[in-house]
């Protein structure tokens, strides 16, 4: 071995090698690559060195040199490389002696690299320089399998590196590919096709691997060569003979099926494609799909059958004549049974979309006046495919029940996988509703009776079909129990489904009952069955906590729908829930997951919805409510006492128990209307008012515990709706406690509560607001920035996000006060300290805030303040200086300069809304301020924007009229003219 060979061996050595030695070897080889005669060195080594590592390195180097230096190589050097590698590939000039290495008989990776070198040369030189490469190559195919194999590798390499559209190509590669393909079509493709035929015919039995290689090569080329070269009286019979020859190797039969599939998938006009598909007589291979599903042959034939079906369907969609429609439908009817078999029993090729194909087929049936027997049979088979596809794998059964990490991942995967299948189911249901319902009924019946190991999965799949089908049903159809629904729902309610203890089965069962409640509303005889399903171990008392928690929510939804129809069953419901309610109102939170509190609150909401009905006798209603309210209030009082002396670890537990009881009371109260509580059943109102006493104690004892604070605010919101004005006496203390030392984030919830109170009670809240507003203003004005917040491109901290939310809520609060006749609160002695700050903040926001809706709200506030505080012109001002501020500051900055800014987009709908309010504000200012406003516009505002006198006078004239629409158009035109004149470069003052 010489130095080059040693260096290459060191580079390729996978075992331990001295790092410095390897580095030297790499450097040495790199130096060789950079020499002028590197091609000669590589060719020499390829002819005479038997070391495969050296052969591979030399071929790789040749390819690299060609790619990088081809343009600078001499004609002689190019010719030397070309003739040398071609001779190696064709065994040209190579005898039987041992002195010359036969590279084409080397390992696969070396042969592939030799093919790549040839492909690189072809890309540069064919057809202009090396015009006869393919014809010359075919002259050597008679030398046997080694040369044939290399010929196929070159053609395959050409497909991989240049022609195939399966890979993204650069524009240069597309041009080269077109050049190569055009030349091959003109010169040698017919000869190549003939060679494929002869080789396969000769070697089919003696060398199946070589035959399969040739067929795979042919498959790649079908997409761009003349279809008649392969879809003819010679090739097609040969391909089907190969596919159907039982004694032949599977790889040859499968490769032949791949060629037929390529012919089937050839892009052609549908009127040409359909006759081709018909002449193939594809039905000859249908029987093969029922053989060993795991074999390579069955996989290939399955791909052929499904690919053929897709093409026939596409022809059916694109052809319009009755004759071609009939022919394509006959071919579809012929192939569909085999397609359904493949879908049910075989591993389907990833390129074939089951749902897409079946959806396409079903869409062809939509326009038909009536479905034929065969089409109805196909519909049933489609439904069976859907049923099989949506079944869970039993291997995940335990994980799905426990919902561990594996179970959660599988459920998420199946949920995504099922989406399109359920869309298909609903589409089928619309085309053939009765067939679909009968199929689901039979699937349920079969799943119940089945003793197979997949029983749980089959029950779940059948119930999921029923659930998904219901999504496409109209309310009227569900109420009427159309089709066999009147049989399906009673079957659902009265059947003892196997696997009910499993989470998946139990959940989908309860979801089904909830979905089909419209039917039960019309058929109240099934209400006991519904209650039984929820109240026993199938629902609320299910052993799996994931089921019982979901059952809480679903039961509440059922109760909402049935309401008064459940009154006769109240005692039975409460009796069945007694153990659960007792547990929920007394158990320690340490034994209850925090995520379960919201789910458990649904039970109290459901009970409240039932017992809060006026149909319930008054005495019983009081008894029912006291049974629930008293333990909850006692729980709060007990935990309050214990929390005051609790240790560090126990304190959060006590707080969580209080929190849950508040949530439960909140949920319970939702079923009681204000009219019932305050007018017809005041005794109920007294009971709820007692909970307010408990709430106040919570705020006094623990005003700074955020979880309690948010739940208390939520309950006050609820009690405002339930108790109405009865809640007013409790508000001063509650608001005082909530306002004490509150952080910006806490102030948001406080303002939202005030907004609800104002909307509910308006003027009745004036006295409270006169005390609260100055504190609110002082607290908020001191923390929100005087200027605008950072732009969206700048980093926004969590603290900044809280302040932005607080600011938005403040504007809503001020807007609610102004629009509910409470603007006088801003003028009380305590509030006047914050008057200027408020006015300036509103003005800045109305002019520059990024959110147009916020700007609009601020303009609306100003309009209300003008209407409230400004009498007719020439009378004494109610608020000294306000008129002057509105005319000089608001009218100029907001109504004129902010509108002139380019960011004020007249094409935006929200901006148009703001513009309308600005027009209204000017109209109101003219009505209230009269000539003082007009004089300011003419003498100061418009001149500051360099507005021509005639335009200003024209607008002021319009302003004095009564037509708002014309005024708006006039002002918009004025602004656009000023923008053109001055480029909108104004500074707000």
């Amino acid at each position: 071995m010489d130095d080059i060979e040693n260096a290459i061996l060191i580079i390729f050595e996978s075992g331990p090698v001295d790092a410095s030695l390897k580095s030297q070897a790499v450097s040495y080889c790199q130096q060789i690559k950079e020499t002028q005669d590197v091609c000669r060195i590589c060719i020499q080594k390829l002819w005479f060195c038997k070391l495969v590592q050296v052969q591979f390195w030399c071929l790789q180097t040749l390819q690299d040199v060609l790619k990088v230096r081809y343009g600078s190589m001499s004609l002689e050097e190019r010719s030397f490389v070309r003739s040398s590698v071609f001779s190696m590939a064709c065994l040209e000039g190579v005898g039987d002696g041992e002195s010359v290495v036969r590279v084409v008989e080397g390992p696969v990776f070396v042969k592939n690299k030799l093919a790549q070198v040839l492909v690189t040369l072809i890309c540069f030189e064919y057809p202009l320089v090396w015009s006869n490469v393919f014809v010359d190559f075919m002259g050597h195919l008679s030398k046997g399998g080694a040369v044939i194999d290399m010929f196929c590798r070159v053609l395959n390499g050409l497909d991989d590196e240049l022609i195939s559209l399966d890979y993204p190509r650069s524009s240069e590669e597309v041009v080269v590919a077109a050049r190569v393909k055009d030349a091959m079509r003109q010169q040698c493709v017919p000869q190549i096709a003939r060679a494929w035929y002869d080789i396969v015919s000769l070697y089919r039995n003696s060398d199946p691997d070589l035959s399969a290689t040739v067929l795979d090569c042919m498959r790649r080329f079908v997409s761009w060569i003349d279809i008649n070269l392969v879809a003819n009286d010679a090739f097609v019979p040969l391909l089907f003979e190969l596919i159907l020859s039982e004694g032949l190797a599977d790889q040859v039969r499968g490769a032949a099926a791949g060629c037929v599939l390529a012919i089937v998938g050839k892009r052609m006009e549908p009127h040409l494609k359909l006759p081709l598909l018909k002449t193939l007589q594809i039905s000859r291979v249908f029987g093969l799909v029922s053989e060993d599903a795991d074999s390579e042959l069955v996989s290939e034939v399955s791909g052929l059958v499904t690919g053929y079906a897709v093409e026939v369907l596409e022809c059916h969609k694109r052809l319009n004549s009755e004759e071609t429609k009939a022919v394509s439908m006959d071919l579809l009817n012929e192939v569909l049974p085999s397609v359904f078999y493949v879908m049910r029993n075989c591993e389907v090729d990833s390129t074939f979309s089951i749902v897409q194909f079946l959806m396409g087929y079903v869409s062809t049936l939509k326009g038909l006046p009536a479905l034929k027997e065969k089409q109805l049979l196909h519909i049933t088979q489609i439904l069976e495919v859907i049923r099989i596809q949506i079944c869970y794998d039993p291997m995940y059964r335990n994980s799905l029940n426990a919902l561990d990490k594996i179970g959660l991942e599988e459920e998420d995967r199946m949920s995504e996988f099922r989406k399109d299948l359920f869309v298909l189911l609903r589409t089928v249901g619309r085309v053939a509703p009765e067939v679909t319902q009968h199929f689901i009924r039979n699937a349920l019946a079969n799943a119940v009776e089945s003793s197979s190991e997949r029983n749980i999965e089959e029950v779940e799949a059948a119930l999921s079909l029923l659930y998904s089908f219901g999504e496409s049903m109209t309310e009227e159809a569900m109420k009427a129990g159309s089709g066999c629904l009147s049989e399906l729902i009673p079957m659902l309610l009265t059947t003892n489904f196997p696997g009910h203890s499993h989470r998946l089965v139990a959940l989908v069962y309860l979801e089904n009952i909830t979905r089909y409640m419209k039917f039960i509303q019309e058929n109240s005889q099934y209400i006991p069955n519904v209650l039984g399903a929820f109240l026993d171990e199938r629902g609320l008392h299910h052993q799996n906590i994931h089921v019982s928690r979901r059952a809480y929510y679903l039961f509440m939804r059922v109760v909402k729908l049935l309401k008064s129809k459940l009154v006769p069953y109240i005692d039975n419901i409460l009796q069945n829930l007694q153990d659960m309610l007792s547990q929920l109102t007394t158990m320690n939170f340490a034994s209850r997951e925090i995520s379960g509190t919201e789910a458990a609150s649904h039970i109290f909401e459901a009970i409240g919805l039932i017992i809060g009905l006026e149909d319930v006798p008054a005495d019983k209603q009081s008894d029912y409510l006291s049974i629930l309210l008293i333990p909850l209030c006692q729980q709060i009082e007990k935990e309050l006492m214990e929390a005051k002396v609790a240790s560090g670890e126990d304190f959060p537990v006590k707080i969580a128990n209080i929190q849950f009881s508040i949530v439960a009371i909140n949920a319970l109260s939702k079923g009681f209307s204000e009219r019932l509580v305050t007018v017809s059943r005041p005794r109920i109102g007294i009971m709820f008012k007692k909970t307010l006493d408990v709430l106040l104690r919570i705020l006094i004892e623990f005003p700074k515990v955020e979880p309690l604070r948010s739940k208390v605010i939520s309950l006050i919101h609820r009690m405002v709706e339930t108790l109405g004005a009865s809640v007013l006496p409790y508000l001063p203390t509650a608001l005082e406690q909530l306002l004490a030392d509150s952080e910006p984030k806490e102030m948001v919830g406080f303002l939202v509560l005030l907004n609800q109170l104002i909307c509910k009670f308006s003027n009745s809240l004036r006295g409270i607001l006169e005390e609260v507003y100055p504190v609110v203003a002082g607290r908020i004005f001191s923390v929100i920035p005087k200027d605008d917040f950072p732009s969206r491109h700048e980093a926004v901290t969590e603290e900044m996000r809280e302040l932005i939310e607080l600011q938005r809520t403040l504007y809503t609060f001020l807007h609610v006060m102004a629009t509910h006749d409470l603007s006088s609160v801003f003028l009380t002695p305590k509030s006047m300290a914050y008057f200027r700050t408020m006015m300036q903040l509103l003005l800045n926001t109305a002019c520059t805030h990024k959110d147009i809706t916020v700007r609009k709200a601020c303009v609306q506030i100003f309009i209300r303040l003008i209407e409230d505080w400004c009498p007719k012109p020439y009378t004494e001002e109610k608020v000294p200086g306000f008129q002057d501020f509105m005319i000089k500051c608001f009218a100029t900055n907001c109504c004129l300069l902010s509108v002139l800014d380019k960011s004020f987009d007249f094409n935006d709908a929200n901006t148009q809304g703001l513009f309308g309010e600005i027009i209204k504000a000017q109209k109101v200012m003219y009505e209230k301020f009269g000539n003082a406003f007009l004089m300011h516009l003419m003498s100061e505002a418009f001149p500051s924007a360099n507005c021509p006198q005639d335009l200003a006078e024209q607008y002021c004239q319009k302003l004095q009229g009564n037509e708002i629409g014309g005024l708006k158009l006039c002002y918009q035109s004025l602004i656009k003219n000023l923008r053109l004149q001055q480029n909108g470069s104004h500074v707000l003052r």
Side-chain angles (χ1 to χ4, degrees), residues 759-779:
C759 292
K760 182 78 174 177
F761 303 119
S762 296
N763 270 313
S764 302
L765 212 65
R766 186 182 303 276
I768 294 173
L769 284 172
E770 287 177 354
E771 297 298 321
V772 169
Y773 172 73
V775 183
V776 169
R779 194 77 51 80

Side-chain angles (χ1 to χ4, degrees), residues 589-707:
F589 195 87
S591 63
R592 196 165 60 217
E593 288 185 45
I594 193 162
S595 59
T597 58
E598 184 180 349
S601 72
H602 293 311
I603 283 295
F604 288 94
E605 184 174 350
I607 294 171
L609 289 168
I610 305 170
I611 67 174
L613 295 167
E614 293 208 27
D615 301 324
V616 180
D619 291 341
K620 280 200 165 191
Q621 193 171 54
S622 299
D623 292 342
Y624 293 146
L625 185 59
S626 63
I627 289 170
L628 296 161
L629 269 186
I630 290 173
L632 288 170
C633 290
Q634 289 174 344
Q635 170 90 336
I636 292 173
E637 290 172 346
K638 170 178 167 290
E639 299 296 336
L640 277 175
M641 295 293 292
E642 294 177 1
K644 285 192 281 187
V645 294
S647 63
E649 291 182 1
D650 289 341
F651 182 76
V653 174
K654 303 301 178 187
I655 295 302
N657 284 330
I658 298 170
Q659 187 179 334
F660 174 73
S661 296
I662 298 170
V663 170
I665 294 171
N666 190 331
L668 187 64
S669 67
K670 291 179 181 178
F672 294 83
S673 68
E674 182 181 345
R675 196 185 72 81
L676 181 139
V677 168
T678 58
V679 180
S680 58
R681 308 270 173 92
R683 187 176 168 190
I684 300 294
I686 293 169
M687 296 171 73
F688 276 117
K689 276 191 274 188
K690 288 179 181 177
T691 65
L692 289 174
D693 293 322
V694 177
L695 283 187
L696 293 180
R697 279 196 56 199
I698 295 171
L699 289 176
I700 292 168
E701 298 287 351
F702 300 108
K704 297 299 293 176
V705 179
E706 173 53 30

Side-chain angles (χ1 to χ4, degrees), residues 84-94 104 114 118 130 133 136-141 143 146-147 150-151:
S84 298
V85 293
F86 184 74
S87 296
M88 292 175 199
C90 300
L91 295 178
E92 194 175 49
V94 178
V104 293
L114 175 59
L118 279 164
W130 196 6
V133 54
D136 290 346
F137 215 137
M138 283 187 285
H140 295 279
L141 296 181
K143 293 179 180 178
V147 177
M150 181 51 61
F151 183 60

Side-chain angles (χ1 to χ4, degrees), residues 948-967:
Q949 182 78 9
D950 59 330
L951 288 180
E953 288 177 357
Q954 183 183 353
Y955 177 68
C956 288
Q957 193 67 36
K958 280 276 187 184
L959 191 61
Q960 297 172 63
N962 295 317
E963 190 189 349
I964 289 289
L967 179 63

Side-chain angles (χ1 to χ4, degrees), residues 400-418:
L400 286 163
N401 191 45
L403 204 61
D404 56 19
K405 184 175 182 292
I406 294 172
L408 193 58
E409 288 175 356
E410 177 62 10
E411 187 167 44
D412 289 343
R413 186 193 70 80
M414 279 294 283
S415 176
E416 190 62 32
F417 174 72
R418 285 175 159 192

Side-chain angles (χ1 to χ4, degrees), residues 229-362:
L229 294 174
V230 287
N232 52 43
D233 293 340
F235 244 123
V236 170
L238 173 63
L239 292 173
F240 277 97
E241 184 184 342
L242 296 174
I243 296 170
L244 297 168
S245 296
E246 294 184 6
L248 208 57
D250 274 4
Q251 68 261 42
V252 178
R253 300 171 72 186
C259 288
V260 178
L261 177 58
I263 293 170
V264 165
K266 173 84 169 174
R267 284 190 293 181
M268 299 167 63
E269 288 299 315
H271 68 277
L272 298 174
K273 172 69 76 69
L274 188 61
L276 170 63
L277 296 175
K278 187 178 179 182
T279 57
L280 289 177
Q281 298 176 22
I282 204 81
S283 59
R284 290 177 279 179
V285 304
F286 290 168
L288 296 177
V289 298
S290 60
E291 295 183 6
D292 180 10
D294 294 328
S295 76
E296 184 181 340
L297 174 63
V298 171
S299 175
E300 292 291 340
V301 175
S302 297
L304 171 57
V305 169
T306 53
Y308 174 84
V310 168
E311 294 299 326
V312 172
L313 180 61
E314 190 63 24
C315 287
H316 183 83
K317 283 196 253 182
R318 294 175 62 190
L319 293 170
N320 296 318
S321 73
E322 288 188 18
E323 182 183 352
T324 54
K325 287 279 188 189
V327 170
S328 56
M329 186 54 76
D330 287 343
L331 294 179
L332 263 180
N333 289 335
E334 184 181 47
V335 73
L336 278 172
S338 296
V339 173
F340 295 136
Y341 182 89
V342 168
M343 291 175 179
R344 291 195 302 267
N345 300 285
C346 305
E347 191 71 34
V348 179
D349 190 283
S350 59
T351 58
F352 174 68
S353 169
I354 291 176
V355 175
Q356 188 176 340
F357 172 74
L358 294 179
M359 195 75 84
Y361 174 68
V362 173

Side-chain angles (χ1 to χ4, degrees), residues 741-944:
D741 301 324
S742 51
E743 301 293 331
K745 185 166 66 174
E746 297 166 340
M747 285 297 295
V748 171
F750 181 78
L751 290 179
V752 172
L753 175 61
L754 283 180
N755 290 342
Q756 183 204 18
L757 294 172
I758 294 169
C759 292
K760 182 78 174 177
F761 303 119
S762 296
N763 270 313
S764 302
L765 212 65
R766 186 182 303 276
I768 294 173
L769 284 172
E770 287 177 354
E771 297 298 321
V772 169
Y773 172 73
V775 183
V776 169
R779 194 77 51 80
I780 296 178
F781 291 159
S782 66
V783 294
I784 60 174
K786 299 294 182 287
D787 301 317
D788 205 357
F789 287 98
S791 70
R792 65 183 63 185
H793 302 294
E794 297 178 44
V796 179
T797 63
E798 183 62 32
E799 180 184 8
M800 189 63 71
R801 264 190 288 272
E802 290 176 5
L803 290 176
I804 290 171
E805 186 183 5
L806 177 60
Q807 188 195 57
R808 290 179 64 90
T809 313
L810 171 67
Y811 294 134
T812 305
F813 170 61
L814 296 175
H815 187 273
V816 170
M817 285 185 66
T819 54
H820 285 78
D821 300 320
L822 291 167
S823 61
S824 61
V825 172
F826 300 136
L827 304 178
T828 63
K830 291 181 181 178
S831 300
M832 284 303 291
Y834 306 102
F835 183 78
R836 286 185 177 276
T837 306
M838 180 189 79
M839 297 300 289
Q840 196 60 50
L841 180 67
L842 286 173
L843 177 62
N844 291 343
T845 305
C847 294
T848 62
H849 200 280
K850 296 178 181 64
D851 190 329
I852 294 295
T853 59
V854 173
R855 289 170 68 174
K856 178 180 173 182
C858 290
V859 174
Q860 289 172 335
I861 292 170
F862 278 121
I863 292 170
R864 285 306 299 260
L865 296 184
I866 297 169
E867 291 173 341
D868 288 352
W869 295 347
C870 297
K872 289 291 183 182
Y874 316 117
T875 57
E876 187 178 348
E877 286 190 87
K878 186 176 180 181
V879 183
F882 176 69
Q883 177 175 319
D884 199 47
F885 173 85
M886 293 305 298
I887 291 176
K888 292 183 178 178
C889 299
F890 177 76
T892 302
N893 283 298
C894 181
C895 298
L896 177 59
L897 299 184
S898 77
V899 182
L900 274 173
D901 193 85
K902 288 181 180 178
S903 64
F904 199 95
D905 181 9
F906 285 107
N907 295 318
D908 176 65
N910 286 331
T911 305
Q912 276 292 337
L914 169 60
F915 187 62
E917 294 300 325
I918 287 173
I919 295 296
K920 182 179 177 181
Q922 292 182 84
K923 191 70 179 168
V924 171
M925 282 192 284
Y926 169 68
E927 291 170 358
K928 295 292 185 178
F929 306 150
N931 289 332
F933 175 56
L934 294 179
M935 288 175 63
H936 173 76
L937 287 180
M938 292 299 297
S939 63
E940 294 187 37
F942 284 138
S944 72

Side-chain angles (χ1 to χ4, degrees), residues 359-584:
M359 195 75 84
Y361 174 68
V362 173
S363 68
T364 66
L365 306 180
K366 284 181 180 177
L368 300 178
L371 300 183
K372 296 176 182 177
E373 186 177 345
K374 188 171 284 189
Q375 290 163 338
L376 291 172
L377 176 62
H378 291 161
I379 288 289
T380 304
Q381 290 176 308
I382 290 172
L383 292 167
E384 178 62 15
V385 168
I386 296 171
R387 188 192 70 80
I388 291 170
Q389 291 283 325
I390 67 169
C391 270
Y392 278 94
D393 191 324
M395 69 178 287
Y396 296 106
R397 184 180 296 176
N398 293 334
S399 290
L400 286 163
N401 191 45
L403 204 61
D404 56 19
K405 184 175 182 292
I406 294 172
L408 193 58
E409 288 175 356
E410 177 62 10
E411 187 167 44
D412 289 343
R413 186 193 70 80
M414 279 294 283
S415 176
E416 190 62 32
F417 174 72
R418 285 175 159 192
K419 283 180 182 176
D420 290 340
L421 288 162
F422 285 143
V423 171
L424 173 60
L425 171 71
R426 292 190 286 274
T427 304
V428 173
R430 283 188 284 269
V431 172
E434 290 190 10
V435 175
T436 306
Q437 290 182 33
H438 280 287
F439 177 85
I440 294 172
R441 182 193 63 186
N442 293 337
L444 283 171
N446 293 337
V448 170
E449 295 169 5
S450 170
S451 58
S452 97
E453 291 183 1
R454 290 178 62 92
N455 187 244
I456 286 175
E457 289 72 28
E458 288 175 357
V459 170
E460 191 278 337
L463 287 169
S464 294
L465 289 175
L466 177 60
Y467 180 78
S468 179
F469 177 70
E471 193 172 318
S472 62
M473 290 194 72
T474 64
E475 188 174 317
E476 292 72 25
M478 201 175 286
K479 283 180 178 180
S482 63
C484 63
L485 196 65
S486 56
E487 183 183 344
L488 263 173
I489 305 308
M491 178 185 177
L492 176 75
L493 294 170
T494 57
T495 302
N496 184 21
F497 288 98
H500 230 307
S501 59
H502 195 279
R503 184 184 68 87
L504 286 179
V505 174
L507 283 175
V508 73
Y509 177 75
L510 296 174
E511 295 282 1
N512 264 300
I513 293 175
T514 310
R515 167 148 285 178
Y516 289 98
M517 280 306 298
K518 295 293 181 186
F519 174 83
I520 292 156
Q521 280 180 294
E522 299 298 311
N523 297 272
S524 53
Q525 68 270 27
Y526 296 112
I527 289 177
N529 301 94
V530 172
L531 292 176
F534 276 99
L535 297 175
D536 64 21
E537 67 283 350
R538 290 173 291 173
L540 300 172
H541 291 89
H542 199 281
Q543 62 187 18
N544 188 305
I545 192 169
H546 299 290
V547 176
S548 58
R549 284 182 181 171
R550 182 62 178 168
Y552 295 159
Y553 169 71
L554 294 177
F555 181 62
M556 181 268 292
R557 283 182 53 192
V558 166
V559 168
K560 272 187 176 179
L561 289 168
L562 293 177
K563 280 190 178 177
S564 59
K565 292 184 178 181
L566 292 177
V567 171
Y569 305 98
I570 290 179
D571 289 328
N572 180 45
I573 292 170
L574 291 177
Q575 187 177 349
N576 278 279
L577 293 177
Q578 188 173 358
D579 59 334
M580 184 179 295
L581 293 171
S582 175
Q583 187 182 27
L584 288 171

